[in-house]
Amino acid sequence: TVSSLCVMACSRTCSQILGLSLGTTALFAAAANTVLLFPNWDVTYLLRGLIGRHAMLGSGLWGGGLMVLTAATLISLTGWRYGCFSKSGPCQSVLTALLSSGLAFLGALICFITSGVALKDGPFCMFDVSSFNQTQAWKHGYPFKDLQGRNYLYDHSLWNSVCLEPSKAVIWHVCFFSALLCISLLQILLVVIHFINSFLGLFCSLCEK
C-alpha cells in the first residue's frame, strides 16, 4: 500500500539520520577521551604515567567511539541501501538491527558507566596528604574518592585547593567526563530510536507483502 511504502521510505531516511548522528557522537566521544589523556594540553603527564585509570581505560575511544562508529556505519548502510527491508528477508533485517543496536548500546553503556564512576571518584592528581594524617607529604592519587562528608562535585571550594598538580585538574576532569556522560546518554537514546525504527520498517515490509 501507499502508506506502507511511505513509512518504509521514512524508516530508511530515519536510519540515515540516526547513522549520521551516532557517527558524529562517536567522534565527539573519542575526542573528549583523547583530551582527558592530556591535562592542560600537557603530554608529559601521559609520558610519566600520571593519568587516571578512568581516562586510560579509554571507554570513550573504543566504547562510545569505535564500537558506536562501527554500528553507525552499519545503520547508515542499511538506510542508504534502496529497498533494504523489501529485498532482505525478515530475519536478516532483524539480525542487522539487533547487531547494530546491540553493538552501539554496549559501547555507549560502557562509556556511560565509566564516566559516571570517574565523576564519582574524582580526578587523579598530586595532593597534600598531611591533612589526611599520612606521613608522606605529597602523592598522586584520588583525593576525593574517600573524602567523608563532602562531595567535591557540589563543593567548588575544593576544586582549586586540593589538587596541586596539574592545575585545574578538577575542572578538566569534570568538564570532559560530564561531556562523555551526556554523549553516551544521547547515544543510548539514539540506539533505542533505531531499534524501534528498524522494527517499524520490518513490520511495514511484511504488511506490504
Side-chain angles (χ1 to χ4, degrees):
T1 63
V2 176
S3 60
S4 295
L5 290 174
C6 288
V7 172
M8 288 171 61
C10 291
S11 181
R12 290 195 296 271
T13 302
C14 187
S15 292
Q16 296 169 13
I17 296 173
L18 287 172
L20 180 61
S21 300
L22 274 173
T24 303
T25 60
L27 295 177
F28 277 113
N33 203 136
T34 301
V35 172
L36 282 166
L37 299 176
F38 305 99
N40 297 339
W41 307 110
D42 193 342
V43 70
T44 58
Y45 294 104
L46 180 62
L47 297 177
R48 293 160 56 195
L50 299 178
I51 301 296
R53 60 176 177 271
H54 308 100
M56 289 298 297
L57 182 60
S59 61
L61 291 171
W62 58 268
L66 182 59
M67 291 176 67
V68 173
L69 184 61
T70 303
T73 303
L74 280 174
I75 295 171
S76 295
L77 289 176
T78 302
W80 283 104
R81 182 180 167 193
Y82 176 75
C84 57
F85 290 107
S86 60
K87 292 184 179 180
S88 301
C91 291
Q92 183 178 346
S93 298
V94 172
L95 181 61
T96 302
L98 287 175
L99 284 176
S100 57
S101 299
L103 183 64
F105 183 82
L106 180 61
L109 183 63
I110 292 172
C111 184
F112 180 83
I113 294 174
T114 304
S115 301
V117 173
L119 287 172
K120 176 182 176 296
D121 291 346
F124 181 86
C125 63
M126 185 178 73
F127 63 101
D128 185 1
V129 296
S130 59
S131 58
F132 294 88
N133 296 322
Q134 301 281 344
T135 56
Q136 188 179 3
W138 292 346
K139 77 170 186 177
H140 285 86
Y142 299 90
F144 302 109
K145 186 176 181 180
D146 299 317
L147 192 62
Q148 300 294 329
R150 301 175 72 181
N151 190 323
Y152 83 99
L153 289 174
Y154 304 105
D155 192 347
H156 292 184
S157 63
L158 298 173
W159 286 26
N160 295 319
S161 61
V162 176
C163 285
L164 304 176
E165 185 185 337
S167 60
K168 298 182 179 179
V170 181
I171 298 176
W172 197 272
H173 180 88
V174 171
C175 286
F176 288 104
F177 270 116
S178 295
L180 277 176
L181 193 73
C182 294
I183 291 170
S184 56
L185 185 61
L186 176 60
Q187 290 174 338
I188 292 174
L189 177 62
L190 291 173
V191 168
V192 172
I193 295 175
H194 166 63
F195 193 76
I196 297 173
N197 173 69
S198 298
F199 273 95
L200 180 62
L202 175 63
F203 177 76
C204 290
S205 68
L206 293 176
C207 289
E208 184 190 14
K209 294 179 181 179

